[in-house]
């Protein structure tokens, strides 16, 4: 298949060589040419129905021939099961300077069975891609087929674990299923490509961290197959792979693309420890194949995943049981500056942070290693709240948007500054010098930096970094140098506005080139200004907003120089509109801005009361906020400002969950007389699992009988076991797996996989054997029934491509000591998947099979009960109540559910909100106590049903406690939320 000409054709005019499309490897040489000058970045993308080209050279991507620095963040639509909220998080990203969102699209989330694919409701990929385009974000699409991502099976469907052959290589059975998946997902993606204006999909990743079989035909043919399949499905944007450990695996030319090498980028990821010195993986690296970006000198530096937080396993061992707050503290704003600015210095112009919004691994989505929250310590927390980690993202993101200089940097002559690591780069077209200054020490560094014509005083706090520029264009002016970090420069009507930032309290000096003496007015804050020798020197200490208006000096348009400390910088919201740029100052978030003649229509959020100030195109006179007209006045800053502040968010009242609880006991399956005639007979003999079927045993692996998610029950009937002293139940689960057994209805006990208690959490197979004594009275030759409940905790990921997702789950072997009865087994896991909530919502508990979790279930005959409860019983008990919320319609309240109890009590709870499985609480393991309840599933104005399925292991008293609703954050504003069915 030939690469679509329209993708790359625009480049022909920009290179001396032109392009040999579809030709030999020489085609890639065209991309080595660097004749594309620096010019403005492309306008934010939208589905405009027009053709666009996506090319690249060694510096950057080129969209319609314009350099684009991709400043991206990862979010997983599957981890936010309320489509309206996608828009909320995407708008927060866009506002804070991201221009791109990167998404995994996990196969298992969309496929309950071979040949069955679901892209509706919370799985509506088309809607997600439309929303991203409406928000003005590019999309990096990563549909696997393998993801990893701490998802069940790394994203492989449960059913794939019961199929023949080997995954992640050129195996015919596997490839036939892969093609089925790619056909489905690509049919949607193909409608949203930037190249034909259908949407904003910019890049597409095949496979993920595929470092096995790299030199073997099985691996190369696999990659070639994926490449050609994706191209055949009409995906004509550049493709890439994400190389773990920067090995130079899958660089252009390493597999057969059928002559399409022009459309293949090399990408690699990085998750360096925050306690280490940030690594150089490009311009300043060691070079060679191990050197990251240097492994592929003709393609731009691409990091599809750079650690922006880290996940926390069951038990909370990574973060000393402090949970994601500690993850966020370790990879904080200063970490972001140190590591991400180092990446930019190294020529990484495609940069995506994993995660930017982590979200929730609800239901049975998580891989065994992680608990329900996938907050990740990300810049936007699980409750959708912006954190201080957005400050550097905002400052750098706006800088990359408004200063084209950063898209084409070459390493320049080394300069030194005492106590700092200095990276010096230049843009040959604009003449700008760029410096990244990093302090790896424990004390603040105050020193000077040699810049052209000056020794610039600089200060860098410990374990922090900053970016400075010299010779940078600001509209029609040029800043000679500044010790504050540039954030933006735009033209608002006849006036130009520039923003520089830094930490509060820092002394800054900014030198502006002026051909003649300008008129200078300090409009707010304090600044010392002096003019000499063609330079206006402005000295100011950062604190709030310092405003300096510079008029004349050889340029007709006045320049408003804004010096903002960090907190103030995230109240400054630049926005491009077709009528020209707008800059809004004040509110907690700007979602949208539109200019219509003299009117500027803004939407966004406030938390505290805030004034709104707007700079915009000439002639604007009216401002509205969330649909309400504001009274404004003109300011000396050339802006319009509301005469009264916008109101902040009001209080949010949450009801206590004291009342209305009812309960019902479960596990009739443990009783000998239970009718299991409709269950699957364990009559299989062979399996495609990587776990061998033990000699002399029936096949008991749950996946082989079509049960892939959550709990599974087994009932074994036998006679002739009079001498049995004990029974051994071998089983295999992920971490935190558990098994409970009953003989003739008598509890035999509970066995649990060990709790990981050190940092080397084993992610591999968890297999163990429970040995239970047979009670004396039951050691008879007559008929007996052994009932076993296994909580499986999902399939392993397959990071090393060894089919570890195919390790058996469930019982594996059952033997007796003192007897050898032939046991005839039946088993039952989850019922048919919920048509709306999908295959990962439910396992095979009796109550789940009966729909006890569903709001429509009638629980009138359940026993009234007061919480908390503390009683000892082995088995499953359900609790239900209802509650109503009446959150003000103009308030975005993010709400969670907290459970807290004596940590010695051994029980777990599955939390069902309106039928949706919002996660698993393990009281004696933790560390998670609060579960996010996404609006849409949660009715914030109406009735809700909460159902708790409590599995207690019988060794201690078991809860539940009385759960509490908690406010995770609130704002006046938000998006319109459509209820999730
Ligand atoms: C990297 C994976 O690509 C990603 O899917 C996710 O699992 C992430 O790790 C951890 O959250 S793998 C890299 C850490 C070796």
């Amino acid at each position: 298949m030939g690469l679509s000409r329209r993708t790359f054709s625009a480049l022909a005019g920009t290179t001396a060589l032109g392009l040999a499309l579809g030709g030999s490897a020489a085609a890639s040489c065209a991309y080595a040419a660097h004749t594309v000058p620096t010019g403005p970045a492309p306008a934010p993308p939208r589905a405009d129905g027009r053709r666009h080209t996506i090319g690249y050279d060694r510096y950057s991507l080129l969209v319609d021939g314009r350099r684009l620095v991709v400043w991206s963040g990862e979010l997983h639509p599957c981890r936010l099961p309320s489509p309206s909220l996608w828009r909320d998080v995407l708008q927060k990203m866009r506002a804070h300077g991201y221009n791109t969102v990167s998404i995994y699209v996990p196969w298992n989330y969309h496929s309950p069975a071979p040949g069955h694919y679901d892209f509706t409701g919370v799985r509506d990929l088309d809607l997600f891609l439309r929303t991203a385009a409406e928000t003005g974000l590019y999309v990096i699409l990563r549909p696997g087929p393998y993801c990893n991502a701490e998802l069940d099976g790394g994203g492989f469907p449960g059913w794939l674990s019961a199929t023949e052959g080997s995954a992640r290589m050129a195996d015919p059975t596997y490839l036939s299923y892969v093609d089925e998946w790619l056909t489905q997902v690509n049919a949607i993606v193909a409608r949203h490509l930037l190249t034909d204006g259908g949407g904003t999909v910019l890049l597409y990743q095949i496979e993920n961290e595929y470092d096995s079989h790299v030199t073997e035909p099985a691996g190369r043919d696999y990659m070639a197959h994926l490449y050609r399949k994706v191209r055949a499905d009409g995906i004509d944007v550049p493709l890439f792979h994400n190389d773990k450990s920067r090995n130079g695996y899958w660089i252009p030319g390493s597999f057969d693309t059928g002559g399409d090498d022009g459309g293949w980028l090399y990408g690699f990821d990085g998750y360096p420890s925050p306690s280490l010195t940030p690594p150089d993986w490009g311009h300043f690296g060691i070079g060679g194949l191990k050197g990251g970006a240097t492994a592929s000198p003709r393609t731009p530096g691409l990091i599809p995943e750079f650690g922006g937080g880290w996940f926390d396993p069951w038990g909370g061992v990574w973060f000393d049981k402090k949970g994601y707050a500690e993850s966020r503290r370790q990879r904080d704003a200063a970490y972001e500056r140190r590591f991400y600015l180092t990446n930019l210095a190294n020529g990484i112009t495609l940069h995506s942070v994993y995660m930017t919004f982590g979200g929730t691994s609800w239901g049975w989505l998580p891989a065994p290693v992680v608990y329900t929250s996938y907050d990740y310590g990300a810049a936007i927390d699980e409750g959708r709240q912006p954190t201080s980690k957005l400050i550097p993202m905002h400052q750098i993101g706006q800088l990359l948007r408004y200063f084209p200089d950063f898209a084409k940097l070459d390493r320049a002559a080394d300069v030194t500054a005492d106590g700092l690591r200095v990276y010096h780069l230049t843009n040959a077209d604009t003449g700008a010098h760029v410096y990244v200054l990093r302090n790896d020490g424990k004390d603040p560094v105050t020193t000077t930096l040699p810049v052209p014509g000056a020794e610039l005083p600089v200060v860098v706090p410990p374990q922090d970094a900053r970016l400075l520029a010299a010779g940078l264009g600001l509209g029609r002016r040029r800043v000679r140098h500044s010790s504050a970090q540039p954030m933006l420069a735009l033209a608002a009507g006849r006036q130009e506005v520039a923003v520089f930032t830094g930490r509060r309290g820092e002394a800054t000096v900014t030198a502006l080139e002026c051909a003649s003496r300008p008129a200078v007015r300090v409009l707010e804050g304090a600044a010392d200004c002096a003019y000499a020798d063609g330079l206006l020197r402005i000295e100011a200490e950062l604190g709030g907003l310092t405003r300096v208006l510079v008029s004349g000096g050889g340029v007709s348009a006045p320049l408003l120089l804004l010096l903002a400390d960090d907190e103030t910088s995230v109240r400054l919201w630049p926005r491009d509109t077709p009528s020209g740029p707008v800059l809004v100052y004040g509110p907690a978030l700007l979602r949208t801005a539109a200019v219509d003649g003299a009117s500027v229509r803004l939407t966004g959020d406030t938390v505290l009361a805030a004034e709104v100030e707007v700079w915009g195109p000439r002639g604007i006179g009216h401002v509205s906020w969330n649909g309400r007209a504001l009274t404004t006045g003109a300011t000396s800053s050339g802006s319009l400002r509301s005469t009264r502040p916008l109101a902040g968010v009001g209080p949010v009242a949450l009801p206590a969950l004291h009342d209305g609880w009812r309960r019902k006991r479960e596990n009739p399956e443990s009783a000998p007389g239970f009718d299991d005639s409709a269950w699957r007979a364990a009559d299989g003999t062979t399996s495609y699992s990587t776990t061998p079927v033990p000699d002399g045993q029936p096949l008991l692996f749950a996946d082989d009988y079509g049960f892939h998610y959550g709990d599974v029950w087994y009932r074994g009937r036998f006679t002739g076991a009079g001498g049995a002293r004990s029974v051994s139940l071998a089983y295999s689960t992920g971490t935190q797996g558990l098994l409970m057994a009953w003989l003739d209805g008598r509890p035999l006990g509970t066995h649990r996989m060990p709790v990981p208690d050190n940092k080397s959490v084993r992610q591999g197979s968890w297999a163990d054997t429970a040995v239970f004594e047979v009670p004396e009275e039951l050691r008879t030759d007559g008929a007996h029934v052994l009932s076993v409940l296994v909580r499986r905790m999902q399939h392993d990921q397959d990071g090393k491509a060894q089919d570890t997702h195919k390790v058996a789950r469930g019982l594996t072997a059952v033997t007796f000591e003192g007897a050898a009865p032939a046991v005839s087994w039946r088993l039952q896991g989850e019922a048919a998947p919920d048509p709306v909530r999908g295959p990962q919502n439910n396992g095979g508990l009796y109550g789940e099979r009966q729909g006890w979790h569903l709001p429509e279930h009638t629980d009138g005959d359940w026993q009234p009960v007061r919480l908390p409860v503390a009683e000892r019983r082995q088995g499953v008990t359900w609790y239900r109540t209802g509650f109503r919320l009446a959150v003000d319609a103009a308030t975005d309240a993010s709400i969670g559910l907290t459970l807290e109890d004596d940590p010695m009590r051994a029980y777990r709870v599955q939390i069902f909100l309106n039928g949706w499985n919002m996660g698993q609480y393990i009281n004696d393991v933790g560390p998670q106590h609060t579960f996010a309840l996404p609006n849409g599933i949660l009715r914030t104005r109406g009735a809700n049903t909460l159902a708790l399925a409590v599995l207690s292991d019988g060794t201690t008293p078991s809860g539940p406690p009385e759960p509490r609703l908690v406010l995770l954050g609130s704002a006046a504003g938000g998006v319109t939320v459509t209820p999730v069915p």
Side-chain angles (χ1 to χ4, degrees), residues 649-723:
V649 65
V652 175
L654 298 176
L657 301 177
H658 291 315
D659 302 322
W661 288 99
R662 289 178 178 269
R663 83 163 156 197
K664 187 156 178 164
R665 297 213 190 283
E666 235 224 38
N667 52 285
E669 301 93 333
S670 61
F674 179 81
D675 178 9
D676 60 18
S677 57
W679 288 17
R680 286 291 307 267
D683 51 9
T685 51
T686 58
S687 172
Y688 295 122
S689 168
T690 52
T691 307
V693 181
D695 279 348
Q697 290 282 332
L699 174 67
L700 294 171
F701 308 164
D703 287 296
D704 286 302
Y705 297 96
F707 304 125
H708 307 301
Y709 301 106
D711 297 299
V712 60
W713 276 95
Y714 293 84
R715 283 170 52 90
R717 293 166 196 279
F718 57 91
T719 55

Side-chain angles (χ1 to χ4, degrees), residues 657-942:
L657 301 177
H658 291 315
D659 302 322
W661 288 99
R662 289 178 178 269
R663 83 163 156 197
K664 187 156 178 164
R665 297 213 190 283
E666 235 224 38
N667 52 285
E669 301 93 333
S670 61
F674 179 81
D675 178 9
D676 60 18
S677 57
W679 288 17
R680 286 291 307 267
D683 51 9
T685 51
T686 58
S687 172
Y688 295 122
S689 168
T690 52
T691 307
V693 181
D695 279 348
Q697 290 282 332
L699 174 67
L700 294 171
F701 308 164
D703 287 296
D704 286 302
Y705 297 96
F707 304 125
H708 307 301
Y709 301 106
D711 297 299
V712 60
W713 276 95
Y714 293 84
R715 283 170 52 90
R717 293 166 196 279
F718 57 91
T719 55
R725 291 183 297 279
S726 67
V727 56
S728 298
L729 301 151
Y731 72 117
S732 170
T733 68
T735 57
Q736 306 304 322
L738 167 155
L739 172 151
M740 293 181 174
W742 292 259
L743 186 57
D744 301 337
R746 284 264 297 268
L748 295 182
T750 297
H751 183 277
R752 294 169 61 160
M753 296 293 169
V755 176
D757 57 0
N758 60 49
K759 298 204 172 179
S760 59
V761 187
R762 269 196 300 147
Q763 288 203 44
S765 91
W766 285 69
D768 210 339
T769 301
V771 182
F772 298 122
E773 198 182 325
V774 174
E776 296 265 1
E777 318 81 84
L778 300 181
R779 296 180 189 172
T780 66
D781 276 332
H784 296 282
V785 181
L786 180 60
S787 299
V788 183
L789 173 63
V790 181
R791 174 149 292 184
R792 285 177 294 176
M793 304 298 287
Q794 302 310 73
H795 306 87
D796 292 332
Q797 300 182 91
D798 188 28
K800 298 198 171 71
Q802 291 170 346
D803 275 335
T804 42
H805 63 293
K806 289 187 170 183
V807 171
R809 287 294 182 253
L811 277 184
T812 54
V814 181
T815 53
F816 290 81
E817 193 199 344
V823 185
S824 106
W825 288 100
R826 285 183 180 274
L827 70 162
Q828 174 68 54
E830 72 271 20
D834 183 308
V836 173
R837 301 175 181 91
Q840 286 89 13
N841 196 62
N842 293 103
L845 291 182
Y846 184 82
E848 291 178 280
R849 289 165 8 235
Q850 301 294 319
W852 293 1
H853 58 294
L854 297 172
E856 54 269 28
H857 181 75
T858 47
D859 55 17
D861 61 337
W862 291 30
Q863 179 199 2
V865 65
R866 283 211 79 84
L867 300 188
V869 161
E871 59 176 31
R872 190 182 285 229
R873 172 178 183 261
Q874 175 184 309
V876 186
T877 311
W878 286 69
Y879 297 80
R880 278 171 65 106
T881 193
F883 63 92
R884 297 191 72 86
L885 294 177
V887 178
D888 173 66
T891 297
D892 179 4
S894 178
I895 294 167
L897 187 78
T898 297
L899 294 100
E900 268 160 348
D901 204 347
D902 177 349
M904 298 307 290
R905 293 180 178 167
Y907 68 92
R908 356 179 131 197
V909 183
Q910 283 184 80
I911 299 164
F912 290 95
L913 174 70
N914 298 328
W916 292 80
N917 182 346
M918 298 306 354
Q920 180 174 197
Y921 171 73
I922 307 189
N923 182 64
D924 55 343
V925 174
Q928 184 176 7
H929 287 273
T930 295
F931 292 76
L933 307 176
N935 296 346
I937 289 180
L938 181 71
R939 307 291 202 248
T940 55
R941 296 170 65 70

